[in-house]
């Protein structure tokens, strides 16, 4: 099967034995909107806050993000199959900075995994994928620490991050954002952190 993403230049590419080739591609708001719309429209993605959006609205959200210097979106592809939506952001340019002391070298991450295939989830699958993403964010972008802020009600995401080695931080309330270009409701979040030295010792 041909890889429809092969012509796109990745910001990170890594071959993982027994898993495949993982490529992190800058999100194309137009070309990737259909895939992302399908993922965020599912009930399991309710905490992503985009279940009611049309495909055109999803494309507009990511076109707006593409114009920012502080927030970036990526499509993560494994052997030609889209497997995750990755967003990175500068914490000091985000509402999370009102809730914790941002350190130099911090980077924020949002991660939405694709739905499991017909065979269901595979043991170790998420851990291997996250290891590649961590390599890009911590080593490729030369950052010291990742911060994540899943909704406290999203117990699956919280337990997944903690199971992958993230250290739990405080439960905080992210303030509402109401601007002409973006609206985000108030969110009660569980902060968690992953230090580079823990993931990549030495």
């Amino acid at each position: 099967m041909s890889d429809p993403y092969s012509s796109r230049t990745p910001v990170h590419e890594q071959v993982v034995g027994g898993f495949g080739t993982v490529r992190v591609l800058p999100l194309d708001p137009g070309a990737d909107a259909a895939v992302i719309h399908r993922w965020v429209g599912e009930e399991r993605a309710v905490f992503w806050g985009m279940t009611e959006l049309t495909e055109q609205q999803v494309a507009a959200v990511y076109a707006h993000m593409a114009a920012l210097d502080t927030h970036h979106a990526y499509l993560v592809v494994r052997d030609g199959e889209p497997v995750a939506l990755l967003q990175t952001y500068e914490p000091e340019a985000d509402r999370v900075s009102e809730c914790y002391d941002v350190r130099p070298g911090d980077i924020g991450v949002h991660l939405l995994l694709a739905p499991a295939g017909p065979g269901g989830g595979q043991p170790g699958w998420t851990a291997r994928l996250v290891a590649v993403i961590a390599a890009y964010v911590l080593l490729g972008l030369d950052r010291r620490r990742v911060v994540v802020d899943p909704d406290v009600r999203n117990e699956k995401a919280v337990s997944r991050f903690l199971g992958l080695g993230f250290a739990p931080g405080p439960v905080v309330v992210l303030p509402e954002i109401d601007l002409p270009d973006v609206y985000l409701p108030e969110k009660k979040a569980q902060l968690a952190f992953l230090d580079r030295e823990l993931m990549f010792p030495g």
Side-chain angles (χ1 to χ4, degrees):
M1 192 176 87
S2 64
D3 177 357
Y5 301 97
S6 59
S7 63
R8 288 165 60 174
T9 303
V11 293
H12 182 77
E13 183 170 338
Q14 193 171 330
V15 178
V16 182
F19 188 67
T21 301
V22 179
R23 304 169 77 231
V24 181
L25 307 173
L27 190 79
D28 181 324
D32 299 330
V35 170
I36 302 305
H37 177 252
R38 193 166 70 244
W39 293 352
V40 299
E42 295 188 344
E43 182 59 31
R44 69 186 186 90
V46 65
F47 297 111
W48 207 257
M50 300 172 76
T51 47
E52 303 301 317
L53 298 191
T54 65
E55 184 178 320
Q56 289 72 27
Q57 287 171 318
V58 169
V61 167
Y62 287 101
H64 171 73
M65 188 178 293
L68 303 176
D69 292 330
T70 55
H71 293 62
H72 302 281
Y74 305 93
L75 189 68
V76 185
V77 177
R78 169 185 170 242
D79 291 343
E81 277 293 312
V83 291
L85 168 63
L86 168 67
Q87 293 174 202
T88 64
Y89 61 92
E90 303 298 336
E92 63 270 21
D94 189 86
R95 61 182 177 167
V96 74
S97 65
E98 298 181 36
C99 302
Y100 89 103
D101 291 328
V102 180
R103 291 184 196 164
D106 278 1
I107 187 167
V109 163
H110 298 303
L111 181 66
L112 178 65
L113 300 175
Q122 300 170 341
W125 191 95
T126 301
R128 286 189 281 187
L129 186 67
V130 168
V132 173
I133 292 168
Y136 167 59
V137 172
L138 291 169
L139 302 179
L141 297 179
D142 192 24
R143 297 306 182 100
R144 306 300 308 176
R145 186 172 68 157
V146 173
V147 56
V148 294
D149 60 358
D151 192 300
V152 290
R153 296 168 297 167
N154 191 354
E155 294 173 2
K156 190 170 183 180
V158 172
S159 61
R160 177 187 291 134
F161 283 123
L162 298 183
L164 291 168
F166 281 74
V171 172
V172 299
V173 176
L174 302 183
E176 177 187 57
I177 301 288
D178 193 2
L179 299 171
D181 289 332
V182 61
Y183 173 75
L184 295 170
E186 184 179 271
K187 181 174 96 168
K188 192 174 184 183
Q190 169 67 64
L191 296 188
F193 303 91
L194 182 66
D195 288 305
R196 185 164 79 184
E197 289 76 12
L198 182 73
M199 194 75 184
F200 304 103

